[in-house]
């Protein structure tokens, strides 16, 4: 059976429950499994005789079972199995006296106890790895890892002779070996015990082999309640065997070769081994060749050799079956550089392709509409706005499409810059489209822009087009766009429908937190009759560190607006422990006072209602994936399930956290956390408080229809319902100048960039404003540390840097938030800035010699995959 990176696990793994559990982690194909990287690798377990044991310190040793008994636990259900082991032979090899210890197992299941009893019969040679403790004066190992060793010539005595000198050092090194694990067998998964009446299967042929297996470093994966890290590891190693790996990773830099250790075939209850495959390709050389063919290298050979990197197949093996921690780190660095090289090659190709396309030239004219507009503004532009407008004007004058990312703080005046650009396009006789993510925001933009341009001569038509319009109004708007008359069109996703036509479209502005994928770009490109590509301006208020922006948006020219217009007062940020009832009460009294003064307040909750089944344990819910690292970013933002999988868009709509920061214990298991607060629940609770007697509340969620959202926002802005309880739907550009307070429940579960954006919803009218971050974080926890960052800073760049360091690049930059898979799993755009720069330089050299990558087929495929997975331009409020 030919297995590739695209082969589905369902066709290989016989345990369907395991297939389902892996799918919940986002692992569907062999490629998903191999790129599901461990978050750490354990240190090698030292070899120690029983007499050398130190309570609380991990150790491994070889011994013989002397006796074993099963004791029913009378006080409670279940059984206790105790086995006494003697390490006389092993201790002699370490030149210390032998001793005994007790191995103890507890279980409610008789079947488990019977299985352990069968393996630990008196006289059986075993290798034990575990944490010693003392109980009733005797050394005890509770639930240690046990490997049984086959008897005979390869049994205990023979296996221990090799330890006579080298092992005495206590570091677990084999005699005569430069690496403690260089020549031992790594036989995952362990052989299962045979059924009653059948020959017993042993875990290892020799003691040396068994000691190596328990001592060598082990990868630890983010797991969930449905599947453990060990079972994830077992599955991945089984897949590597099926793809041709017959030897474990060796420390000499070779994939396989003479003297390498064997990886035995997985059992049929784990992997669907095909007939004859158990004995096929068992030589080291054929195994290396087979694995290399199944996992071809992506990096050009010249780059790999120049950087002294591993082959891709070799790196996967060294990560999932490392011979040493140093080997593991070397493999991680190899795949990290691969991500840097693929991403930079992709961005450079996109930039080159854009410059080859044709676009409408929109040069400035005398007494231009743009200059009239700027002169009519009741305030002076900041120096930053003037510079960006100048740069965009120069871009629009070219006959190839502008591709520019405008990143600015909330309230920094991005809309003014965008309108100046659109007026330049209209002045040249073309159409401009402003795309907003919601109907509410589109209506706000249309009203604001109409008001700003009403005094200009000649008159500028402003057309609103949304999916929620009545049929007659929608037809009128579509007809206006299809006429090709110069003007401004403000649209939602309706701009991507087949009925929308703008034959003279010259400029597209993407505003707010909208995911603008390659298919949607092509859709708008197709709206022009002459085949030109519109100029593109993407705006975002999501704070993005410059190194991150250069990494992800390297195909765009980037402008930053860092100055805020005058008149805006700093927002006071207060972190409130939800358990502190007194402070919570004072906060609500303060909000009532502000409402009585004619101001407004937002109350933000991450969930719509308490019955939402979205997994708030995911890494990103944007709703992650939910998020989407997301991230999910949405995680996807969508919500990342368990430990890395991503949920559906429905879950995304239900949970508005862009990264709930899933936490794991030291073994990679997810840690349960209290449920997230819901809009319906909080609205009901707050209306019953004495502080809010006589105050009308409104609720707003992503599930509400567009006309309902419009009415709710109108009532909120007008003061009929001065307190709005909503999900994070308000972060996308809602602009109510009277809003002075925002309360964010479960703030410890949000990403810092999202908190910064939500905080920017208040203080837009020049009044004093407050942001209250309600937290259930434990004192001293990472969640509390994150909130301290936003508590003490209003600097978006500083917050973005901290967010990037806390949760990684993908989530901050929107991968998880879009719900798609992350193409960057290892690359750290801040720490790896030098690596990214090196990769960009080498990618430029490669593309100069081979622009179409005709000589690098695997790299070309990886670039295409990267583009498909990341052709999203992050925008925000």
């Amino acid at each position: 059976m030919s297995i590739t990176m695209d082969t589905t696990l369902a066709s290989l793994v016989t345990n369907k429950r395991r297939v389902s559990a892996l799918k919940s982690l986002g692992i569907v194909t062999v490629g998903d499994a191999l790129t599901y990287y461990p978050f750490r690798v354990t240190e090698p377990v030292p070899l120690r005789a029983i007499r050398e044991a130190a309570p609380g310190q991990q150790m491994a040793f070889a011994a013989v079972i002397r006796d074993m008994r099963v004791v029913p636990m009378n006080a409670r259900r279940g059984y206790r199995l105790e086995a006494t082991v003697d390490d006389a032979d092993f201790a002699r090899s370490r030149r210390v006296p032998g001793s005994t210890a007790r191995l103890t197992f507890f279980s409610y299941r008789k079947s488990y106890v019977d299985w352990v009893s069968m393996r630990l019969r008196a006289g059986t040679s075993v290798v034990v790895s575990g944490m010693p403790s003392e109980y009733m004066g005797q050394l005890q190992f509770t639930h240690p890892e046990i490997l049984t060793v086959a008897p005979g010539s390869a049994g205990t005595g023979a296996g221990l002779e090799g330890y006579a000198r080298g092992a005495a050092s206590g570091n677990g090194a084999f005699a005569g070996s430069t690496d403690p694990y260089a020549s031992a067998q790594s036989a995952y998964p362990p052989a299962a015990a045979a059924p009653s009446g059948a020959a017993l299967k042993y875990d290892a042929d020799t003691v040396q082999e068994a000691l190596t297996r328990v001592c060598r470093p082990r990868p630890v994966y983010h797991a969930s309640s449905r599947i453990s890290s060990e079972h994830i590891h077992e599955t991945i190693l089984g897949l590597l065997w099926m793809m041709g790996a017959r030897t474990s990773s060796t420390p000499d830099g070779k994939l396989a070769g003479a003297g390498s250790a064997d990886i035995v075939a997985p059992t049929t209850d784990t992997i669907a081994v095909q007939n004859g495959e158990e004995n096929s390709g068992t030589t080291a050389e054929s195994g290396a060749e087979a694995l290399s063919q199944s996992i071809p290298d992506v990096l050009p050979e010249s780059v790999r050799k120049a950087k002294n990197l591993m082959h891709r197949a070799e790196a996967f093996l060294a990560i999932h079956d490392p011979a040493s921690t140093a080997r593991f780190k070397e493999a991680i660095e190899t795949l990290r550089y691969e991500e840097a090289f693929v991403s930079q090659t992709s961005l450079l190709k996109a930039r080159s392709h854009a410059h080859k396309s044709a676009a409408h030239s929109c040069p400035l004219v005398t007494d231009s509409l743009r200059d009239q507009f700027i002169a009519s503004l009741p305030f002076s532009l900041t120096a930053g706005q003037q510079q960006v407008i100048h740069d965009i004007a120069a871009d629009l004058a070219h006959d190839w499409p502008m591709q520019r990312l405008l990143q600015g703080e909330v309230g920094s005046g991005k809309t003014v810059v965008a309108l100046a650009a659109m007026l330049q396009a209209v002045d040249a006789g073309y159409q401009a489209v402003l795309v907003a993510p919601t109907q509410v925001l589109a209506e706000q933009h249309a009203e604001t822009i109409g008001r700003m341009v009403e005094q200009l001569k000649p008159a500028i038509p402003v057309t609103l087009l949304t999916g929620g319009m009545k049929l007659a109004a929608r037809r009128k708007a579509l007809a206006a766009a299809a006429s090709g008359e110069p003007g401004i069109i403000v649209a939602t996703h309706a701009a991507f429908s087949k009925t929308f036509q703008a034959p003279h479209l010259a400029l597209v502005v993407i505003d707010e937190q909208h995911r603008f994928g390659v298919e949607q770009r092509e859709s708008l490109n197709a709206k022009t009759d002459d085949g030109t590509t519109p100029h593109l301006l993407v705006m975002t208020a999501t704070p993005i560190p410059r190194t991150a922006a250069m990494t992800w948006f390297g195909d765009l020219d980037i402008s930053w607006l860092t100055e805020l217009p005058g008149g805006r007062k700093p927002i006071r940020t207060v972190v409130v422990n939800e358990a502190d009832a007194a402070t919570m009460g004072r906060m609500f009294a303060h909000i009532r006072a502000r409402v009585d003064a004619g101001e407004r307040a937002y109350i933000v909750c991450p969930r719509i209602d308490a019955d939402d089944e979205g997994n708030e344990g995911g890494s990103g819910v944007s709703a992650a994936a939910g998020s989407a690292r997301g991230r999910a970013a949405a995680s996807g933002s969508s919500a990342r399930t368990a430990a890395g999988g991503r949920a559906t868009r429905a879950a995304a709509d239900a949970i508005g956290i862009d990264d709930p920061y899933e936490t794991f214990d030291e073994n990679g298991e997810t840690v349960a956390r209290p449920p997230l607060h819901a809009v319906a629940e909080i609205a009901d609770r707050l209306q019953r408080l004495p502080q809010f007697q006589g105050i009308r509340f409104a609720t707003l969620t992503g599930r509400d229809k567009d006309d309902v959202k419009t009415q709710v926002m109108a009532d909120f802005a007008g003061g009929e319902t001065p307190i709005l309880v909503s999900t994070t739907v308000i972060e996308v550009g809602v602009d109510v100048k009277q809003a002075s307070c925002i309360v964010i429940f479960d703030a410890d579960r949000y990403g810092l960039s999202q908190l910064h954006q939500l905080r920017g919803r208040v203080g837009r009218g020049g009044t004093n404003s407050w942001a209250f971050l309600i937290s259930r974080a434990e004192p001293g926890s990472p969640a509390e540390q994150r909130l301290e960052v936003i508590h003490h800073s209003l600097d978006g760049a500083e917050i973005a840097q901290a967010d990037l360091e806390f949760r990684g690049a993908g989530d901050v930059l929107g991968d998880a938030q879009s719900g798609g898979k992350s193409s960057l799993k290892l690359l750290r755009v801040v720490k790896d800035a030098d690596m990214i720069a090196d990769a960009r330089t080498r990618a430029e050299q490669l593309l100069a010699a081979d622009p179409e990558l005709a000589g690098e087929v695997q790299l070309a495929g990886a670039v295409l995959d990267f583009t498909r997975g990341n052709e999203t331009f992050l925008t925000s409020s």
Side-chain angles (χ1 to χ4, degrees):
M1 179 180 180
S2 177
I3 300 176
T4 69
M5 297 287 278
D6 295 323
T7 302
T8 62
L9 295 189
S11 65
L12 298 175
V13 180
T14 55
N15 187 326
K16 299 310 175 187
R17 287 188 178 182
R18 183 173 295 189
V19 172
S20 176
L22 290 169
K23 185 177 181 180
S24 72
L25 300 181
I27 304 173
V28 177
T29 67
V30 171
D32 294 334
L34 296 186
T35 57
Y36 191 79
Y37 302 117
F39 67 92
R40 70 180 177 93
V41 64
T42 63
E43 291 296 323
V45 177
L47 293 175
R48 291 176 184 158
I50 293 176
R51 283 189 180 274
E52 298 172 306
Q57 296 183 15
Q58 193 84 7
M59 61 177 282
F61 63 94
V64 176
I65 304 293
R66 291 306 178 207
D67 60 65
M68 184 270 298
R69 65 172 183 158
V70 177
V71 182
M73 293 186 289
N74 297 326
R76 51 183 178 170
R77 279 190 315 116
Y79 305 87
R80 182 179 75 251
L81 184 151
E82 296 179 347
T84 302
V85 294
D86 182 346
D87 74 338
D89 289 343
F90 179 74
R92 187 163 50 251
S93 73
R94 297 184 62 81
R95 299 185 179 134
V96 297
S99 187
T100 61
R102 181 167 53 214
L103 312 181
T104 305
F105 301 84
F106 299 92
S107 179
Y108 292 115
R109 292 187 296 133
K110 185 65 164 57
S111 59
Y112 172 78
V113 173
D114 291 342
W115 179 73
V116 176
S117 300
M118 181 171 58
R119 302 181 73 222
L120 303 186
R121 293 176 297 183
T124 302
S125 296
V126 296
V127 164
V128 180
S129 175
M131 191 86 70
S133 61
E134 189 173 324
Y135 179 69
M136 298 183 66
Q138 184 174 5
L139 198 68
Q140 173 175 281
F141 292 83
T142 304
H143 284 275
E145 179 180 2
I146 301 290
L147 295 184
T148 58
V149 180
S153 59
T156 306
L160 290 175
E161 290 303 321
Y163 287 83
R165 295 176 302 278
S169 63
N171 62 1
F174 302 140
S177 173
T178 57
D179 184 274
Y181 315 108
S183 61
Q185 178 175 353
S186 174
Y188 289 99
S196 178
L200 184 66
K201 292 183 179 179
Y202 293 91
D203 298 318
D205 292 331
T206 67
V207 170
Q208 182 170 335
E209 170 194 324
L211 283 168
T212 297
R213 283 177 50 190
V214 300
C215 289
R216 66 186 288 141
R218 294 192 189 177
V220 182
Y221 303 82
H222 284 316
S224 71
S225 59
R226 299 180 62 187
I227 186 169
S228 67
S229 175
E230 281 297 320
H231 283 158
I232 294 171
H233 188 208
E234 173 185 281
T235 302
I236 293 174
L237 286 176
L239 295 172
L240 285 168
W241 186 92
M242 287 288 286
M243 298 181 79
R246 300 296 187 266
T247 59
S248 56
S249 172
T250 58
D252 59 0
K254 297 179 180 178
L255 180 62
S260 299
D262 293 335
I263 293 180
V264 299
T267 56
T268 53
D269 60 350
T270 303
I271 301 290
V273 181
Q274 304 299 306
N275 291 335
E277 287 190 353
E278 295 90 337
N279 300 317
S280 67
T282 54
T283 67
E285 290 77 8
S286 63
E289 182 179 353
L291 188 62
S292 300
Q293 291 175 354
S294 300
I295 309 174
D297 215 347
V298 169
L299 288 174
E301 183 73 8
S302 58
V303 173
R304 186 168 69 83
K305 287 184 176 179
K307 297 293 294 181
N308 193 26
L309 301 173
M310 295 179 179
H311 187 282
R312 193 174 200 227
E314 178 188 357
F316 280 137
L317 198 56
I319 285 174
H320 297 296
D321 189 28
S324 65
T325 53
R327 189 76 175 143
F328 174 85
K329 293 176 182 177
E330 184 182 349
I332 290 291
E333 284 301 297
T334 290
L335 294 180
R336 184 171 284 148
Y337 189 88
E338 178 188 291
E339 289 186 356
F341 194 86
V342 170
S343 65
Q344 293 308 303
T345 302
S346 176
L347 293 171
L348 288 169
K349 277 184 66 66
R351 190 181 186 91
S352 173
H353 178 74
H355 283 185
K356 293 178 182 178
S357 301
H360 292 298
S361 175
C362 303
L364 275 175
V365 297
T366 304
D367 191 27
S368 66
L369 290 170
R370 189 202 74 168
D371 292 341
Q372 290 183 47
F373 161 66
I374 293 174
S376 70
L377 291 173
F379 52 83
S380 298
L381 296 179
T382 65
Q385 287 175 311
Q386 294 178 32
Q387 182 61 50
V388 174
I389 289 174
H390 175 76
D391 292 341
I392 291 175
D395 287 346
L396 292 177
H398 294 146
D399 58 2
W400 65 81
M402 170 183 73
Q403 289 189 294
R404 183 171 291 275
L405 172 69
L406 174 57
Q407 199 243 285
E409 287 281 2
V410 173
S412 60
K414 297 185 297 297
T415 303
V416 169
V417 172
L419 182 51
M422 289 189 286
L423 289 174
Q424 184 172 337
V426 173
D427 227 356
Y430 299 110
Q431 295 168 294
V433 171
L434 171 62
V435 183
T438 66
Q439 176 167 325
V440 170
L441 187 55
E443 291 172 345
Q444 287 185 359
H445 274 314
E447 180 183 355
T448 301
I449 291 173
R451 195 166 54 244
M452 286 181 165
V453 303
E454 62 184 358
Q455 302 299 326
L456 301 183
K457 301 296 181 181
I460 307 299
V462 178
T463 303
L464 175 65
L465 177 61
T466 71
M469 297 173 69
K470 292 183 178 180
L471 184 58
R474 179 177 172 79
R475 284 178 173 173
K476 183 178 180 180
L478 288 171
S483 70
E485 179 186 4
I488 295 172
I489 303 165
V490 181
T492 57
H493 288 219
F496 305 129
S497 69
K498 293 181 180 179
T499 56
F500 174 74
Q501 296 295 328
H504 295 157
L505 182 60
L507 172 64
V508 175
V509 179
I510 309 298
D511 189 28
E512 307 298 354
Q513 195 170 347
H514 178 71
R515 306 303 184 271
F516 197 49
V518 63
E519 293 180 1
Q520 292 167 322
R521 283 182 66 183
E522 292 302 322
S523 173
L524 276 179
N525 288 346
K527 305 304 180 183
T528 59
D529 287 344
D530 50 14
T532 58
T533 299
H535 297 282
L536 176 67
L537 176 64
V538 182
M539 302 194 299
T540 174
T542 299
I544 304 172
R546 292 185 179 238
T547 54
M550 292 304 296
T551 300
W552 272 75
F553 301 107
D555 59 331
L556 306 179
D557 296 307
I558 304 176
S559 298
W560 278 269
L561 286 178
T562 56
E563 303 171 70
L564 291 182
R568 294 203 65 174
K569 298 181 179 179
I571 302 169
R572 304 174 193 179
T573 304
V574 183
V575 179
V576 181
N577 188 317
E578 189 171 345
D580 185 348
T583 302
M584 292 284 286
R586 290 196 300 272
M587 176 188 73
F588 290 134
H590 171 80
I591 292 173
R592 174 60 187 262
R594 303 320 306 165
V595 169
D596 289 343
E599 296 169 9
R600 315 282 186 269
Y602 297 106
I603 311 291
V604 179
C605 305
R607 302 181 75 172
I608 294 177
D609 55 57
D611 295 329
D612 291 330
E613 293 298 327
N615 181 356
E616 60 259 35
S619 175
V621 189
S622 128
S627 135
R629 288 56 355 289
R631 273 275 270 196
S635 212
S637 233
S638 67
R640 206 181 275 183
T641 61
R646 308 191 189 271
T648 62
R649 178 56 56 186
D653 292 338
I655 304 178
I657 294 180
D658 74 350
D659 188 349
Y661 288 108
E662 186 171 22
T663 55
F664 306 91
D665 62 20
E666 63 179 7
N667 294 319
E669 301 287 341
T670 52
V671 176
R673 295 176 296 179
L676 298 166
H677 288 300
V679 167
E681 163 214 352
I682 292 298
D684 181 64
R685 284 172 50 185
L686 296 186
Q687 290 181 83
R688 299 183 184 185
L689 294 177
Q691 292 95 327
F692 296 123
Q693 291 300 310
I695 297 294
R696 292 186 60 194
F697 281 66
T699 61
L700 182 67
T701 74
R703 289 180 186 167
D704 294 330
K705 294 182 179 179
D706 287 338
D707 56 343
V708 172
K709 292 178 182 177
T710 300
Q711 186 59 51
V712 167
M713 290 307 302
D715 291 345
F716 177 65
E720 293 184 34
T721 52
I723 297 181
L724 178 63
V725 185
S726 76
T727 59
T728 54
V729 66
I730 65 162
E731 77 175 301
V732 290
V734 172
D735 186 4
V736 177
K737 299 192 183 305
Q738 299 92 333
S740 63
C741 296
I742 185 168
V743 178
I744 305 172
F745 279 91
D746 295 306
D748 52 302
R749 306 275 287 275
Y750 288 78
L752 296 183
S753 293
Q754 190 176 27
L755 287 175
H756 183 59
Q757 288 198 76
L758 287 168
R759 178 171 61 181
R761 294 307 100 207
V762 299
R764 304 173 77 89
T767 61
N768 291 324
S769 54
W770 294 262
F772 299 97
L773 310 181
I774 312 303
S775 168
R776 288 182 280 187
E778 295 291 331
S781 67
E784 185 182 62
Q785 295 170 21
R786 288 195 300 270
L787 291 182
E788 282 303 301
V789 171
I790 201 153
H791 176 205
H792 294 292
S793 178
L794 292 171
D795 185 336
E798 178 182 337
I799 292 169
Q801 182 75 19
D803 208 8
L804 196 61
E805 293 170 356
F806 274 122
R807 60 175 174 154
D811 292 331
V812 174
L813 296 177
D815 166 70
Q817 292 174 347
S818 67
K821 294 180 181 179
S822 173
S823 292
L824 295 184
K825 296 186 177 183
L826 297 174
L827 193 65
R828 305 159 303 184
V829 297
V830 175
K831 295 181 180 179
D832 297 329
D834 291 343
M835 176 185 291
I836 293 168
D838 179 89
R840 191 175 185 89
T841 299
R842 294 179 187 275
E844 288 172 342
Q845 295 170 353
L846 176 67
L847 289 173
D850 186 3
E852 300 303 321
L853 299 178
E856 300 292 344
V857 177
Q858 296 300 326
L859 176 60
V863 166
L864 182 61
D865 289 342
F866 178 88
T867 302
R868 287 172 174 168
N870 298 280
E871 182 68 54
T872 52
F873 296 97
L874 181 69
T875 52
S876 161
S877 60

